[in-house]
Amino acid sequence: MTSANKTGQTPSKRAPSARVSDHLFAAIPTIWLALFFLAPLGFTVVYSFGNSLFGAVELGFTLKNYQTALSGFYLTTFLRTVQFAVTASALCLVVAFPVAYFIARKAGRFRTLALVLILIPYFSSFLVRVMSWQILLARGGVVEVILNFLHLHDGPLDLLDTKTAVFIGMVYAYLPIAIVPLFVVLDRIPGPLLEASRDLGASRFQTFWAVTLPLARPGIATAVLLTAVPMLGEMVIPKLLGGSRGVLMGQAISSQYLQSQNYALGSAMAVLVLIAVAVVVAALARLTKGFAEVSA
Amino acid sequence: MTRHLLLPQGSSKRAGFSRRSLLGLLGAAPAALALQSAFPGRASAAEPVSGGALNVFSWPNYFSNDSLAEYARKSGVTPNITSYDSNETLFAKLNSPAGADFDLVIPSSSWIKQLADRGLLQEIDHSRLNFGSLDPSLLNRDYDPGNKYSIPKDWGVLGVVYDPEAVGGEIKTWQDFLDAGAKPGVSGKVRLSDSGWETIGMSLWTHGKDWNKATEAEIRAAGEEIKAFAKHVKTFGGLDPNQLANGAIVLAQTNQGTARAAIALNPKLKFVVPGPMSELWVDNYAIPAKAPNLDQVYDFLAYQLEPAVQISETQYIGFPAALAGLRDKLPSDTKDVDLIFGGKDLDFDKLTSFVVDPATVGVYLEVQTEIQAAAGG
């Protein structure tokens, strides 16, 4: 009995203490998130149903703010923002995929160097990186000089403050975030699978289409997620490179909060963006689920 | 003083880069130092403080470093300065418990009334300061009659900088501006302000309306006119003087500071404050209702209002301080001195200051957003 007790006690003594410390470690980020993420989010949701006073919100329950946010100008802005984020994210993906593919499968011993080079710009401020495009794209700037030299363009180039400039800035700023997850999946595709595909008579394109691309799906989904979601709220790049023309959601929300001091409408608009993000995440989660089946 | 960039990046304080980046436009640092020594034995406030704290909440880079250092040496108080980048941010902070520690803030004319009406500012004790040295045309204006809550710090105007050759004529009114912007060769090279009342204001003034009294319908009607014009606009962003110098923009709404920087790069350009009306903005010293260090605030304000400090401030931030007769007191080698004061014949009677009214400010903003959207891109 004594021995049984002893053997029984030892693990039961250890287990709770281990559990307490586990809980403690889990509690810190949970409390952090609850305090600084969920609480403000809760305020936003509550505000979105309230009545706006200038610089304050009278709590209550009205759908008025959502009606405004989903009608006329604001609806157009919302749809334009979604379209904008999807397009920019797709562009990013198109540029990132070949780069990631090259690094993962062709770069050999230079792959680490290539990855480091891609990540190095992150050591400087986002604002500085975007603003440097103002200099490159301006009249008489480097881009104009190069295009003129290559005879691809003649005369002054007015790219700055255009939609094209915004897309250039977007793809540039988010490219590394798209490359990294793509690199990770492409790197993990076992070589023998591709060889098997070839042995079974598939052409290079067929192999890519039927083997590589489906296996890269989670990477694609992650890349889209990591680029499209922040793009939905992007406001710096359109401001610095697009001349603040064609207002997007991020800017519209910020001006409701700050200039109009209309927290209720700003909140409703923010909640709508969150819903859009949730839809994107859910769709991509489905896409990634397919991968679990493939790899299992 | 550290040597600052001579050229501003932007024209509007809401543009990400403030007009306050116009540092050192008036000339080099040595001039400021020379001036300080040229005004020895400044008369100071009755009972100078010695030591203590002073928390200032201001636009970034909005005080001359030399003056601040001099003040710290003299009084033993080193002003602790934190900064904001928009009046709205200032309002939000003062309106919350986070604003309790501030002793001195610098709101623009447009926001004085809002802040005062909400009890966020305290009345200024005029007996403790010398208002006599200040320019009378900057005192007792609509936004704060009798200067109960505000002391002018410096000011600027809304005007137009343009290339007369490209525009093909002279611009005298806001109607001229709108007509010129639609011309081929000018269309697509126009910059408008990102502030709703400054863009819609053009149309309201043209139709003889007061932007502080316009009804929602009038604001929207004026907005339609600007919306129709929006297709000619290249940017609402911060105005880089280089864009004016290299011809990417040939017609722009802006303040005199950015205009002066652009004209320094391209002397062909002209600056005008168009009629029938235009904007005067004044940034002001104001004391939050719960300011904890009143003695230090008044002592610092008395110092800031001294002529030598006002001149040094003007040189540092590039916009004129409120000192009466400031123009004649600037060093004789100051370049384009007329431009600092908004041009030679600036008529203060034809300038109006916007006053934020909760009933209409949202309309101005909403219409501005629509204007920017109508510009495409």
Side-chain angles (χ1 to χ4, degrees), chain A:
Chain A
M1 262 209 47
T2 349
S3 69
N5 249 347
K6 262 184 189 170
T7 48
Q9 261 176 2
T10 328
S12 69
K13 239 185 192 174
R14 255 186 214 158
S17 70
R19 247 178 268 140
V20 166
S21 67
D22 281 356
H23 286 315
L24 198 69
F25 280 122
I28 295 169
T30 311
I31 292 169
W32 181 271
L33 277 177
L35 261 180
F36 297 106
F37 179 71
L38 289 178
L41 191 63
F43 275 118
T44 307
V45 174
V46 171
Y47 276 6
S48 71
F49 293 107
N51 277 312
S52 184
L53 308 171
F54 192 70
V57 176
E58 187 185 65
L59 298 184
F61 186 82
T62 168
L63 291 174
K64 193 180 66 184
N65 302 309
Y66 285 96
Q67 274 165 6
T68 312
L70 282 172
S71 63
F73 174 74
Y74 295 108
L75 180 65
T76 324
T77 304
F78 180 64
L79 295 177
R80 193 195 300 120
T81 307
V82 172
Q83 186 197 14
F84 172 82
V86 169
T87 315
S89 178
L91 274 174
C92 227
L93 200 63
V94 167
V95 180
F97 200 94
V99 177
Y101 189 86
F102 176 81
I103 298 174
R105 313 217 61 102
K106 308 279 175 196
R109 62 198 172 95
F110 295 110
R111 59 186 354 214
T112 313
L113 179 69
L115 275 179
V116 167
L117 285 177
I118 281 168
L119 292 174
I120 271 182
Y122 270 70
F123 286 88
S124 65
S125 138
F126 176 77
L127 216 56
V128 169
R129 279 182 283 137
V130 175
M131 278 187 67
S132 55
W133 277 99
Q134 283 190 335
I135 301 166
L136 296 175
L137 295 174
R139 270 205 181 192
V142 178
V143 173
E144 179 187 310
V145 171
I146 291 174
L147 289 183
N148 270 308
F149 178 76
L150 298 172
H151 298 289
L152 292 170
H153 182 83
D154 193 30
L157 183 73
D158 272 325
L159 258 185
L160 193 61
D161 297 330
T162 64
K163 207 174 190 172
T164 315
V166 177
F167 278 119
I168 291 174
M170 281 288 197
V171 171
Y172 164 78
Y174 288 96
L175 197 56
I177 310 178
I179 290 177
V180 172
L182 287 172
F183 164 78
V184 171
V185 283
L186 290 171
D187 183 48
R188 284 186 185 170
I189 295 173
L193 270 184
L194 305 179
E195 284 164 25
S197 166
R198 292 284 192 78
D199 288 346
L200 293 169
S203 70
R204 292 177 82 143
F205 177 76
Q206 281 171 321
T207 303
F208 177 79
W209 190 250
V211 182
T212 311
L213 205 55
L215 289 177
R217 261 196 338 208
I220 295 173
T222 313
V224 171
L225 191 72
L226 292 180
T227 54
V229 170
M231 280 171 180
L232 279 172
E234 181 59 52
M235 55 186 290
V236 171
I237 297 174
K239 190 166 185 170
L240 290 182
L241 301 178
S244 295
R245 287 185 293 157
V247 175
L248 295 177
M249 217 53 189
Q251 201 183 338
I253 294 173
S254 127
S255 61
Q256 283 302 335
Y257 266 96
L258 279 173
Q259 274 116 316
S260 286
Q261 298 283 333
N262 188 341
Y263 299 166
L265 181 55
S267 297
M269 287 157 73
V271 170
L272 286 179
V273 171
L274 273 177
I275 292 173
V277 168
V279 169
V280 173
V281 173
L284 293 172
R286 256 189 98 80
L287 204 65
T288 327
K289 211 169 142 196
F291 179 70
E293 289 154 17
V294 174
S295 63

Side-chain angles (χ1 to χ4, degrees), chain B residues 86-270:
Chain B
S86 71
N87 282 299
E88 291 84 2
T89 310
L90 166 65
F91 170 71
K93 199 116 182 201
L94 279 189
N95 204 13
S96 78
D101 286 342
F102 297 121
D103 298 306
L104 184 65
V105 292
I106 316 292
S108 303
S109 36
S110 49
W111 275 84
I112 297 286
K113 189 171 183 307
Q114 266 314 301
L115 293 168
D117 284 357
R118 278 160 192 265
L120 298 173
L121 300 179
Q122 59 175 277
E123 289 191 24
I124 287 163
D125 183 351
H126 285 231
S127 69
R128 295 177 78 168
L129 296 165
N130 174 19
F131 274 64
S133 66
L134 299 178
D135 187 342
S137 51
L138 295 169
L139 296 174
N140 197 25
R141 293 197 65 96
D142 291 351
Y143 57 85
D144 183 20
N147 286 82
K148 261 168 88 176
Y149 299 100
S150 66
I151 308 165
K153 180 181 185 298
D154 56 76
W155 57 275
V157 290
L158 176 69
V160 171
V161 61
Y162 66 104
D163 178 346
E165 210 171 284
V167 167
E170 214 174 326
I171 290 187
K172 287 182 175 158
T173 65
W174 287 113
Q175 191 59 53
D176 292 347
F177 176 92
L178 293 171
D179 293 344
K183 286 184 190 171
V186 181
S187 174
K189 295 177 177 176
V190 179
R191 188 258 174 183
L192 286 193
S193 162
D194 64 351
S195 147
W197 55 79
E198 288 182 350
T199 55
I200 300 162
M202 287 194 285
S203 165
L204 287 172
W205 295 322
T206 302
H207 298 296
K209 302 232 161 62
D210 179 343
W211 61 357
N212 289 321
K213 291 180 185 145
T215 62
E216 175 167 352
E218 286 170 335
I219 297 168
R220 288 195 189 276
E224 286 305 316
E225 198 175 332
I226 307 300
K227 243 190 263 179
F229 178 80
K231 58 177 179 286
H232 306 297
V233 178
K234 184 179 182 67
T235 177
F236 297 86
L239 184 58
D240 177 352
N242 287 302
Q243 287 180 291
L244 282 157
N246 64 27
I249 288 176
V250 296
L251 180 67
Q253 266 194 319
T254 189
N255 61 47
Q256 80 270 32
T258 307
R260 187 161 169 268
I263 290 170
L265 295 172
N266 179 0
K268 271 195 327 190
L269 301 173
K270 275 190 172 177

Side-chain angles (χ1 to χ4, degrees), chain B residues 301-372:
Chain B
L301 283 175
Y303 171 80
Q304 285 293 119
L305 296 187
E306 288 172 21
V309 178
Q310 296 257 300
I311 291 167
S312 164
E313 289 280 288
T314 306
Q315 291 185 304
Y316 185 83
I317 60 177
F319 283 90
L323 181 68
L326 174 65
R327 195 190 180 294
D328 300 326
K329 291 172 182 149
L330 288 174
S332 54
D333 60 346
T334 310
K335 277 187 196 159
D336 297 327
V337 71
D338 284 330
L339 267 177
I340 299 168
F341 297 91
K344 219 168 190 159
D345 311 308
L346 188 69
D347 183 352
F348 273 78
D349 289 337
K350 290 183 176 162
L351 297 176
T352 167
S353 301
F354 188 75
V355 177
V356 168
D357 174 357
T360 52
V361 70
V363 184
Y364 276 110
L365 175 92
E366 198 180 308
V367 176
Q368 173 72 14
T369 320
E370 289 170 22
I371 292 169
Q372 288 182 214

